[in-house]
Amino acid sequence: MPLRAATLFAALAVPLLGTGLALAQTDPITARKDGLRRMQGHLEAINAAARAGGDTRALTERTADMVAFYRSFPTLFPPGSDTPPSRALPTVWTDRAGFEAADANAVAAAEALNAAAASGDAAATGRAAQAMGAACGNCHRGYRGR
């Protein structure tokens, strides 16, 4: 029986290891663009659900993903990741403290959005989603080209 469990574990673990390696090899520009598209999708869905009213607790998977993404967001901008198709402005690297402060604001807004969604209150979730959108816009204005 232990041999069967070990075989099953190996059969399940090997594909997962391959997935992890593929993810680790994703370039930072693609990773941040894909992540930001996902965040935009989350925010659009959250806004729609908040406008519809009702219980927002089902949104917490999305809001928790937003918190986790923005906590690690600056790591997606290593030196040298400013080449096309990146639209990051040079200020991401020349004003790193400002960029990280803008990200900290996004993290705080995402955490507030997560708490609002977890409360089940649609109105509070809508207000928190607007604040999250404002945090995104503030970062885009200083650190993203058009």
Side-chain angles (χ1 to χ4, degrees):
M1 195 72 130
L3 183 56
R4 233 186 234 165
T7 303
L8 179 61
F9 175 79
L12 293 173
V14 170
L16 291 176
L17 288 173
T19 301
L21 290 174
L23 290 174
Q25 293 173 359
T26 300
D27 72 279
I29 296 170
T30 300
R32 65 187 183 233
K33 284 177 157 293
D34 290 349
L36 287 168
R37 276 190 213 97
R38 191 174 75 248
M39 296 305 106
Q40 181 180 5
H42 287 340
L43 199 53
E44 289 170 359
I46 292 163
N47 277 315
R51 280 191 301 273
D55 192 337
T56 58
R57 287 178 280 197
L59 299 170
T60 57
E61 186 174 313
R62 289 179 180 272
T63 58
D65 185 38
M66 294 177 82
V67 170
F69 178 77
Y70 285 108
R71 282 185 180 156
S72 66
F73 190 56
T75 66
L76 296 176
F77 292 85
S81 66
D82 57 347
T83 58
S86 175
R87 292 192 294 177
L89 294 173
T91 52
V92 168
W93 295 274
T94 61
D95 179 22
R96 193 62 180 203
F99 174 69
E100 290 183 4
D103 178 65
N105 290 336
V107 170
E111 289 171 339
L113 179 55
N114 189 45
S119 77
D121 183 333
T125 301
R127 288 188 300 275
Q130 286 178 340
M132 183 74 233
C136 292
N138 287 336
C139 190
H140 283 194
R141 276 188 285 288
Y143 302 98
R144 178 180 178 247
R146 302 258 175 234

